[in-house]
């Protein structure tokens, strides 16, 4: 159990490297998935286009959504976006930075799928074989064939074993032509994605350096604050459960002593330490109120080093903290006498 906890803590401390590794694994998995995919074009005029474009575009969409699902920061982004403003404002630039960072990682696997699919050429061959320029590649004036029959024959180009239009256009010529166009689109797509990645990762910080640093800093702060809050809640829950269990067994011991069952009573040395970790929150209702307050009214990002702690405003349904009581009259008389002597 301790080994799994150490691994989990290591992954949390190196979350960015871990997510980059996940994106790389998904990219390799998408390439392997396409190589294992059995592409079967229906070779029908009505279904070729839908099947070819579906294989080209639907799996990238699934991989893109899967990249968001596997990212731990999605829930943090949604929580920060939907939370009430309270005493802490929300910066749209920080939310955009967090979303763009997640979207960039999620785009890797879909881009690999589209690139591999276009370079392979089967999808484009299946989708656009009915739009082949027969006049440039074959015999457009073939006698006895209507426009619908020509499309029916061209739709069988991806299915070499049932293609019967060699007199109209050679199968090898049509496949080479469509695959050449598909590979050209694939290389152009890779060039476009590489250029966009270069512009986003390299040139954006140069033009908006101050805004970029501010957005990156506060996005890191939100991530770290959430982790520390979860750790604090976990520690509080552990201490709460420990004190609750100890009180239960102490009550059982008291009942047994009352029933004349004399058992040696041992005092636990961890009671005081566990009670201190509860920070004064010792019942379910108070804990629920504190959690609601954290969601509705997070503390402002304005620290006062060395000053007294301020209330969070949730006691008394959002009323401000009470002022300290006035000094007693005797104390005021002593202070007046002291200043008169000075």
């Amino acid at each position: 159990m301790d080994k799994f906890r150490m691994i989990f803590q290591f992954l949390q401390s190196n979350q960015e490297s871990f997510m980059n590794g996940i994106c790389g694994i998904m990219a390799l998995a998408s390439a392997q998935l396409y190589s294992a995919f059995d592409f079967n074009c229906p070779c029908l005029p009505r279904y070729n286009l839908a099947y070819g474009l579906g294989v080209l575009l639907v799996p990238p969409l699934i991989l893109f959504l899967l990249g968001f699902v596997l990212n731990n920061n999605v829930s943090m982004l949604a929580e920060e976006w939907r939370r009430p403003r309270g005493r802490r404002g929300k910066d749209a630039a920080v939310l955009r930075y967090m979303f763009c960072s997640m979207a960039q990682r999620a785009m890797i696997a879909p881009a690999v799928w589209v690139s591999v699919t276009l370079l392979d050429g089967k999808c484009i061959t299946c989708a656009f074989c009915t739009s082949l320029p027969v006049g440039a590649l074959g015999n457009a004036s073939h006698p006895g064939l209507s426009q619908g029959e020509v499309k029916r024959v061209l739709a069988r180009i991806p299915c070499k074993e049932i293609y019967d239009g060699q007199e109209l256009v050679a199968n090898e010529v049509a496949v080479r032509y469509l695959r050449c166009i598909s590979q050209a689109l694939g290389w152009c797509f890779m060039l476009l994605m590489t250029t966009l990645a270069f512009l986003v990762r390299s040139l954006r910080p140069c033009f908006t350096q101050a805004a970029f640093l501010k957005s990156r800093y506060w996005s890191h702060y939100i991530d770290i604050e959430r982790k520390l809050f979860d750790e604090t809640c976990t520690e509080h829950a552990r201490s709460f459960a420990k004190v609750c269990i100890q009180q239960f067994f102490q009550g059982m011991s008291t009942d047994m002593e009352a029933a004349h069952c004399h058992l040696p009573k041992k005092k636990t040395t961890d009671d005081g330490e566990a009670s201190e970790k509860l920070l004064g929150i010792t019942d379910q209702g108070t804990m629920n109120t504190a959690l609601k307050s954290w969601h509705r009214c997070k503390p402002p990002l304005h620290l006062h080093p060395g000053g007294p702690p301020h209330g969070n405003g949730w006691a008394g349904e959002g009323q401000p903290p009470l002022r300290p009581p006035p000094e007693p009259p005797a104390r005021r008389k002593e202070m007046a006498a002291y200043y008169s002597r000075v």
Side-chain angles (χ1 to χ4, degrees):
M1 190 66 182
D2 294 336
K3 293 182 178 180
F4 288 108
R5 186 179 301 172
M6 292 175 59
I7 293 174
F8 181 71
Q9 292 177 354
F10 173 78
L11 294 178
Q12 279 191 331
S13 60
N14 298 273
Q15 186 175 6
E16 185 173 0
S17 301
F18 175 69
M19 290 307 304
N20 291 335
I22 289 293
C23 294
I25 293 174
M26 287 186 60
L28 294 176
S30 64
Q32 291 293 328
L33 182 64
Y34 179 79
S35 62
F37 176 71
D38 188 12
F39 187 88
N40 291 314
C41 184
C43 296
L44 295 172
R46 295 183 179 180
Y47 302 105
N48 281 14
L49 181 63
Y51 183 82
L53 294 183
V55 174
L56 179 65
L57 301 178
V58 173
L61 179 60
I62 297 175
L63 293 172
F64 181 73
L65 297 177
L66 188 61
F68 275 97
V69 171
L70 295 178
N71 198 318
N72 296 328
N73 295 330
V74 173
S75 58
M76 180 180 64
L77 175 62
E79 179 184 350
E80 183 67 18
W81 177 50
R82 293 294 300 171
R83 71 170 177 85
R85 294 184 64 88
R87 301 167 64 185
R88 180 190 298 182
K90 293 188 288 186
D91 192 351
V94 178
L95 299 178
R96 285 196 302 268
Y97 175 83
M98 295 170 62
F99 176 79
C100 291
S101 299
M102 290 185 292
Q104 289 173 18
R105 292 189 176 97
M107 282 291 295
I108 296 177
V112 172
W113 177 276
V114 174
S115 301
V116 173
T117 304
L118 290 176
L119 292 176
D120 184 61
K122 292 180 181 178
C123 289
I124 298 298
T125 302
C126 179
F128 298 101
C129 58
T130 56
S131 302
L132 196 71
V134 181
L137 300 177
N139 184 14
S141 59
H142 190 277
L145 290 179
S146 62
Q147 189 69 20
E149 292 176 343
V150 170
K151 285 190 175 182
R152 182 183 59 82
V153 172
L154 293 179
R156 296 180 180 180
I157 289 177
C159 305
K160 188 176 181 179
E161 61 276 4
I162 63 173
Y163 181 67
D164 55 356
Q166 294 290 343
E167 298 179 358
L168 184 64
V169 60
N171 182 272
E172 186 68 22
V173 174
V175 171
R176 284 179 176 271
Y177 175 80
L178 293 173
R179 184 169 293 180
C180 176
I181 295 177
S182 179
Q183 291 179 352
L185 292 176
W187 287 114
C188 291
F189 177 79
M190 292 180 63
L191 178 62
L192 177 63
M193 296 301 295
T194 305
T195 305
L196 289 177
F198 172 76
L199 294 176
V200 170
R201 302 288 292 180
S202 301
L203 298 183
R204 186 185 64 173
C206 298
F207 293 101
T208 58
Q209 183 67 24
F212 177 77
L213 293 176
K214 183 189 72 172
S215 301
R216 185 172 62 178
Y217 175 85
W218 289 115
S219 65
H220 291 336
Y221 171 84
I222 293 172
D223 185 21
I224 295 173
E225 183 187 55
R226 185 190 183 189
K227 292 178 182 177
L228 292 178
F229 181 77
D230 292 341
E231 293 175 1
T232 305
C233 289
T234 302
E235 186 66 26
H236 187 279
R238 184 180 292 108
S239 302
F240 196 103
K242 186 175 183 179
V243 173
C244 185
I245 294 172
Q246 288 174 351
Q247 290 181 355
F248 170 77
F249 282 103
Q250 288 174 2
M252 291 293 297
S253 177
T254 303
D255 294 341
M256 295 179 68
E257 288 180 358
H260 306 289
C261 297
H262 299 285
L263 296 175
K265 186 177 180 180
K266 296 182 180 180
K267 294 183 178 180
T268 57
T269 58
D270 297 338
D271 290 351
E273 181 180 355
S275 299
E276 289 179 358
K277 292 181 179 180
L278 293 178
L279 302 175
I281 303 178
T282 57
D283 61 273
Q284 185 178 6
T286 308
M287 190 65 212
N288 292 338
T289 306
L291 293 176
K292 290 180 182 178
S293 174
W294 177 260
H295 172 69
R296 296 177 181 175
C297 186
K298 287 188 177 181
L301 300 176
H302 184 66
L303 306 180
H304 301 276
H310 296 274
N312 292 326
W314 58 269
E317 297 182 356
Q319 296 180 0
L322 298 177
R323 296 182 180 180
E327 297 179 355
R331 179 62 177 170
R332 290 200 297 267
K333 291 180 180 180
E334 292 179 3
M335 296 298 296
Y338 173 77
Y339 284 114
S340 64
R341 289 196 303 268
V342 175

